[in-house]
Amino acid sequence: PTDEPEGPADPSTYGKEVVGTTLENVTISHCSRVAGYFRGDGLTIRQSLVSDTSTEGIYVIGSSDVLLERNIIRRNNVEQITGYYPAAVKIFNQSYRVTCRDNLVIEQPDSNGIWYDVGNVDGVFVNNWIEGALDGFFFEISKGAICAGNVFVGCDKGIRVLNSSNVRAYHNTLVNTPASFERNER
């Protein structure tokens, strides 16, 4: 299930099933649904290609101290599913200290770029290039993030912060792309 942990939890109580996984120079493409669900502290995905997935690319769940670095992630949600909220990368449900650095996320017309979704803490999003996504950097219902030195081109919203706190965004370049800091009824 993707809803672990259920409710607020101390990060020392989950993410320990698999610890210290490193994937480097891997290609995951033309696969059904999600390229990979990853959980476990100390995960590193580096210099890899994730492309042409039916819904999402990389899906990180309830994990701490994760590094996604120098990856190319392109053409996710090729099925153009509606009523579903896909992302090239989804960081989900109480992940702590997930760093996305120097990634290239392109060709995402029906998908978000990199989405920290619900209960994430202390995200680091630096020096990424996001082009042609719905929301480039999406930080939702979470707290504490640095978004710096990124380039957003032709996104519906380059930087989108929704119902979150303590997000610092600086030295980003937005080309034909707005930034949005929002609060709604949730």
Side-chain angles (χ1 to χ4, degrees):
T2 62
D3 59 352
E4 299 171 357
E6 293 181 18
D10 181 329
S12 67
T13 63
Y14 55 88
K16 310 299 184 232
E17 294 84 7
V18 176
V19 177
T21 300
T22 298
L23 299 171
E24 289 186 312
N25 303 307
V26 173
T27 296
I28 305 172
S29 66
H30 296 88
C31 57
S32 66
R33 299 292 172 196
V34 177
Y37 290 98
F38 301 97
R39 39 178 107 222
D41 295 353
L43 168 68
T44 298
I45 301 176
R46 180 183 292 126
Q47 295 174 191
S48 293
L49 171 65
V50 177
S51 177
D52 299 287
T53 62
S54 293
T55 55
E56 291 164 312
I58 297 168
Y59 204 117
V60 176
I61 306 164
S63 302
S64 297
D65 304 309
V66 173
L67 174 62
L68 306 175
E69 180 178 56
R70 294 191 304 271
N71 298 294
I72 298 172
I73 305 151
R74 65 181 186 192
R75 295 190 302 264
N76 300 106
N77 193 23
V78 296
E79 291 184 24
Q80 300 174 334
I81 294 174
T82 58
Y84 178 79
Y85 304 100
V89 174
K90 189 172 282 184
I91 301 152
F92 189 64
N93 203 1
Q94 299 190 59
S95 291
Y96 286 68
R97 298 173 304 280
V98 175
T99 297
C100 296
R101 180 173 54 224
D102 296 321
N103 296 290
L104 175 64
V105 178
I106 55 174
E107 301 174 75
Q108 303 287 341
D110 300 298
S111 183
N112 291 301
I114 298 179
W115 184 357
Y116 290 75
D117 187 11
V118 183
N120 296 292
V121 178
D122 296 332
V124 177
F125 190 82
V126 294
N127 300 330
N128 298 287
W129 183 290
I130 313 291
E131 184 169 349
L134 298 176
D135 296 325
F137 164 70
F138 191 3
F139 198 76
E140 181 180 17
I141 311 174
S142 297
K143 73 177 176 185
I146 295 172
C147 176
N150 302 288
V151 176
F152 301 95
V153 179
C155 299
D156 289 357
K157 294 178 183 172
I159 299 169
R160 183 177 185 197
V161 177
L162 176 62
N163 297 332
S164 296
S165 65
N166 196 28
V167 175
R168 293 169 287 164
Y170 51 93
H171 301 296
N172 296 289
T173 301
L174 293 96
V175 179
N176 297 324
T177 303
S180 179
F181 298 84
E182 309 169 39
R183 173 83 64 206
N184 67 20
E185 64 279 354
R186 286 183 78 185

